[in-house]
Amino acid sequence: MHLHLKYPLEPDSAPRHAAAVVEAALDISGAELDYSPGSIELVEDIVDSFRSDGATCDEMAESLAEFGCYVGEILVRHAGGAWRHAPAGRHPVPLVVELPGPRRCHPVTWVFRRLEHGPDVSIRALYATAVHEKAADR
């Protein structure tokens, strides 16, 4: 997948992608993304609206990647995660969030899968599972 993003899709720039989508969501739809776990529902609603409009992952790739960075930032801020490069060749998106344990989450992939499969892929449930497993590791 080739993305045309303002910043490279790398661990150091993931927070900038998240901030860009926060601003865009507010400007375009009035959605206030506040980096809380509860705001993941808004992300799902926005991605679902792309899906109902018939958008494809290729058409929405840049937006989906930025929404994935936003979800990843929630993991970083609320679950003790850190952005890392994905293992080479194993994932189409080069970023993961590593949680204590260590475990890796793929929030950018979660968002792409939500567009592809709709409500069958719950980003909220994936987040809750990641956070629950983190708490269980203590």
Side-chain angles (χ1 to χ4, degrees), residues 58-111:
D58 285 340
E59 293 168 341
M60 300 304 299
E62 288 79 12
S63 294
L64 296 173
E66 289 189 331
F67 277 113
C69 287
Y70 173 78
V71 173
E73 272 299 294
I74 296 172
L75 284 162
V76 167
R77 295 174 184 206
H78 296 278
W83 285 104
R84 301 283 186 249
H85 288 282
R90 296 190 61 208
H91 299 282
V93 179
L95 288 178
V96 296
V97 173
E98 189 174 87
L99 296 176
R103 288 181 338 277
R104 291 187 183 111
C105 297
H106 305 271
V108 177
T109 301
W110 296 349
V111 174

Side-chain angles (χ1 to χ4, degrees), residues 9-30:
L9 197 54
E10 296 179 351
D12 290 344
S13 58
R16 287 186 277 181
H17 289 297
V21 85
V22 166
E23 187 176 316
L26 184 60
D27 289 346
I28 294 168
S29 64

Side-chain angles (χ1 to χ4, degrees), residues 53 111 126:
D53 289 344
V111 174
L126 290 164

